[in-house]
Amino acid sequence: MVSFKSLLTATTLATAVLAIPHGGHGHGSHKHRSTHVASKRGSSSKRGAAYTSVSNVHTLTSGSSGNGTVSWAYDWNMYADGSLPSNVEYVPMLWGSKMFGGWLTAIETALDSGSNYIMGFNEPDASSQASMTASEAASSYKKYITPYSGKAKLVTPAVTSSTTEGEGLSWMKSFLSECSECDMSVLAVHWYGTTADEFKSFVQEAMQVADDNGLDETWVTEFALTSGESSDGDQTSAADFLDEVLPWLDSQSGVGRYAYYMCADGYLLSGEELSSSGKVYVA
């Protein structure tokens, strides 16, 4: 949902160095559980913040408590672009091929700062996003992400909820077949639709794909009703939707983390305050 142009600054591109880490660990099959990486920060909450401005994460977390505590955040990028709240873990993402050049410096910085996970490409099954075939994605994943398997847990590319052949979970299954030695622990998906029941059904299907391929858990790193995809979306429907699905997500042992779309004005925020849906999200 978030394009490359809106993420990467000219400064990042100018300092890019094409490289991969030395001394990477052996690449075991993802059908075997990867070595546990001890948590360095954050709470036990599954709830995360998908953001494009660090200040918005501070606004969101200022109203959180209990089960609604936001424990992690990502920005479709490989740099946090500022300081997150102290109890929120930053999770870097290798968005797509246009970020390969600056990856080495960025990922080392993120890992040194306490990141425990690395997220794969953003919607490679969509032509408007990372746009990769399963084979291309597997090759790039092995080159740029798998070498860090000893330093962080690895997350698959995040696919759309499209039911078209060659997209969504269909693409994911092909990717997992191509990347059977990528040492991944987590399957990532996005969902946009019309009802809570549709959402639950899709997440259950994703969890089954993860289980079938020996992955530890599933992350839903973007989700919203289609009526809430834009900043002028229906807040009442969004709040009601979250009120139903958040307890369900928290109850699913196969769901490791999730992040609603998105931590921004018009979505979880209203100016510098929580919106109706934001209040539900951090309740």
Side-chain angles (χ1 to χ4, degrees):
M1 287 289 294
V2 174
S3 69
F4 173 80
K5 288 183 179 179
S6 67
L7 301 175
L8 205 56
T9 65
T11 301
T12 301
L13 289 172
T15 58
V17 178
L18 182 60
I20 58 174
H22 298 288
H25 289 242
H27 305 169
S29 168
H30 67 251
K31 292 188 177 181
H32 296 86
R33 309 296 185 183
S34 63
T35 302
H36 175 70
V37 177
S39 178
K40 301 171 186 174
R41 60 194 293 192
S43 75
S44 60
S45 172
K46 299 179 181 183
R47 216 156 295 183
Y51 72 96
T52 55
S53 171
V54 163
S55 63
N56 288 338
V57 182
H58 284 270
T59 300
L60 183 68
T61 58
S62 66
S64 65
S65 63
N67 290 335
T69 300
V70 171
S71 64
W72 69 284
Y74 83 102
D75 58 350
W76 296 273
N77 209 334
M78 49 191 181
Y79 291 104
D81 195 30
S83 297
L84 289 166
S86 60
N87 62 336
V88 175
E89 175 194 356
Y90 176 67
V91 180
M93 169 188 279
L94 181 53
W95 188 94
S97 61
K98 293 180 181 179
M99 284 188 174
F100 289 168
W103 179 242
L104 175 60
T105 299
I107 191 56
E108 292 291 352
T109 298
L111 294 175
D112 288 345
S113 298
S115 295
N116 296 311
Y117 293 87
I118 300 172
M119 295 170 67
F121 316 122
N122 186 70
E123 299 185 356
D125 58 317
S127 60
S128 62
Q129 298 296 313
S131 188
M132 299 176 174
T133 66
S135 180
E136 290 169 342
S139 177
S140 294
Y141 198 101
K142 292 172 187 176
K143 181 176 182 179
Y144 293 103
I145 301 180
T146 298
Y148 292 99
S149 63
K151 296 183 178 181
K153 287 191 173 183
L154 309 184
V155 184
T156 70
V159 294
T160 68
S161 52
S162 170
T163 57
T164 300
E165 183 65 26
E167 298 177 2
L169 291 175
S170 170
W171 185 99
M172 179 64 76
K173 291 174 184 177
S174 296
F175 169 79
L176 292 174
S177 177
E178 294 273 358
C179 216
S180 61
E181 297 185 352
C182 290
D183 205 17
M184 297 172 289
S185 299
V186 181
L187 184 145
V189 293
H190 294 169
W191 179 88
Y192 294 91
T194 58
T195 70
D197 285 342
E198 288 178 6
F199 173 71
K200 294 174 185 178
S201 178
F202 173 74
V203 174
Q204 287 173 327
E205 185 179 357
M207 287 191 291
Q208 186 61 57
V209 173
D211 190 61
D212 289 345
N213 287 274
L215 301 180
D216 295 335
E217 58 192 36
T218 296
W219 288 13
V220 188
T221 53
E222 284 184 31
F223 69 102
L225 295 174
T226 51
S227 61
E229 286 185 72
S230 62
S231 59
D232 59 352
D234 182 351
Q235 277 290 317
T236 299
S237 295
D240 289 344
F241 170 72
L242 287 173
D243 196 42
E244 178 174 350
V245 302
L246 294 181
W248 182 82
L249 285 168
D250 289 335
S251 73
Q252 300 302 303
S253 60
V255 174
R257 288 181 171 182
Y258 57 82
Y260 184 71
Y261 187 84
M262 58 183 288
C263 180
D265 183 28
Y267 299 90
L268 292 176
L269 305 180
S270 178
E272 297 183 359
E273 298 181 352
L274 298 177
S275 65
S276 297
S277 59
K279 291 175 181 177
V280 174
Y281 195 65
V282 299

